[in-house]
Amino acid sequence: MTFDLSATPLVTLEEGVLTLPISLDGKGNALDSDAVDQMGTALAALLAGDLEARAVLLIGLGKNFCAGGNVAGFASADDRSAHVRELADRLHAVIRQLDEVSVPVVAAVAGWAAGAGLSLALTADFSVAGPDTRLLAAYPGIGLSPDGGMSWNLPRAIGQNAARAFILGNEPMTGERGYALGMLSTFVEGDVREAARDLAVRLASGPGESYAAVKALLRASAASSLSDHLDAERDSISRLATSPDGIEGVDAFVAKRAPEFGRD
């Protein structure tokens, strides 16, 4: 690893998990611009191979995951349109990075996930919620439209009709309901942050090459015909059969032992 984490003091790397805060304690856990910038810097290093992590964990540092954008900052800007456009560009750069990384991304959706916070949760591969989780589109409440990919990811998660009703209706939804609809991947009765961290650590010890291939195939499937995608699946599985993780996984299965992935 050549990346110096002191350049991103909010970011931590432990047990193979790159933890990225998206909001800070106070001010309702609004999306924090400095946190977003540090996320972008760390993710760029991960994508460039300058930082070694096997999973990414998105968290809020207060009681909420993220309550959306800093609306007071919108109001005080000299040019609101230019200000919001700049913030959206910075957020969207991070959303693109999260979509591009080959490692699993987990979101600890504790408390409120509203507006851009919900958009970030929808970007994750795993979104962990609990009894205190609350989801809200938020944008119509301040006369704006979604950013952060909400209007792209949400219909794919729960369907066009449900996405339309959720965003336009702008009514809070419980984490349990969001899980039942497929908006969130995981619902736990215990501590959301602890469960999300445990999941990220478990994934970090898993078959990274397999995870990367799965994510690549899923990403490509939306624009592929079935015939073309079958060829892509064939090429991927045959390539992984001689990869370190593929060899270890198959050999461990035959030997009836637990695999040890991530070994060169």
Side-chain angles (χ1 to χ4, degrees):
M1 183 178 76
T2 60
F3 180 71
D4 185 359
L5 281 171
S6 66
T8 53
L10 292 172
V11 175
T12 61
L13 177 59
E14 297 177 356
E15 298 181 276
V17 177
L18 184 67
T19 300
L20 304 176
I22 66 171
S23 65
L24 309 183
D25 197 8
K27 298 182 179 179
N29 288 135
L31 187 68
D32 184 82
S33 294
D34 188 38
V36 170
D37 290 343
Q38 291 189 35
M39 286 174 63
T41 299
L43 288 170
L46 178 61
L47 287 165
D50 297 328
L51 187 155
E52 297 178 10
R54 295 177 61 84
V56 170
L57 176 62
L58 306 180
I59 63 168
L61 293 183
K63 66 179 182 179
N64 299 311
F65 179 65
C66 177
N70 183 351
V71 180
F74 299 173
S76 64
D78 292 334
D79 185 333
R80 293 189 183 185
S81 178
H83 176 70
V84 171
R85 185 182 185 88
E86 178 192 2
L87 293 178
D89 275 339
R90 289 159 70 182
L91 172 62
H92 290 175
V94 168
I95 296 290
R96 290 184 176 99
Q97 290 172 315
L98 288 169
D99 181 61
E100 188 179 348
V101 295
S102 60
V103 301
V105 178
V106 180
V109 192
W112 282 92
L118 180 54
S119 293
L120 280 161
L122 290 167
T123 302
D125 300 308
F126 299 86
S127 46
V128 182
D132 294 333
T133 299
R134 295 293 181 271
L135 312 173
L136 182 67
Y139 297 99
I142 54 174
L144 300 181
S145 57
D147 65 352
M150 181 184 292
S151 59
W152 195 92
N153 281 315
L154 191 59
R156 286 163 172 77
I158 65 174
Q160 282 282 352
N161 289 344
R164 186 181 300 115
F166 176 78
I167 297 174
L168 295 177
N170 201 37
E171 293 289 336
M173 180 181 291
T174 65
E176 189 170 13
R177 177 61 176 160
Y179 168 67
L181 285 176
M183 194 182 302
L184 303 169
S185 71
T186 309
F187 185 85
V188 298
E189 293 293 344
D191 186 280
V192 168
R193 293 178 181 85
E194 181 179 342
R197 173 74 190 179
D198 289 346
L199 173 59
V201 170
R202 178 174 68 80
L203 292 166
S205 67
E209 294 165 300
S210 173
Y211 294 155
V214 169
K215 293 185 66 168
L217 285 168
L218 290 171
R219 189 181 301 114
S221 67
S224 298
S225 68
L226 173 59
S227 180
D228 288 344
H229 202 68
L230 288 171
D231 289 343
E233 287 188 334
R234 175 204 61 206
D235 294 344
S236 180
I237 194 170
S238 62
R239 176 179 58 82
L240 289 178
T242 55
S243 70
D245 280 350
I247 293 170
E248 169 63 10
V250 170
D251 289 353
F253 181 87
V254 172
K256 295 182 172 56
R257 60 173 175 80
E260 296 180 24
F261 293 119
R263 301 185 303 178
D264 294 330

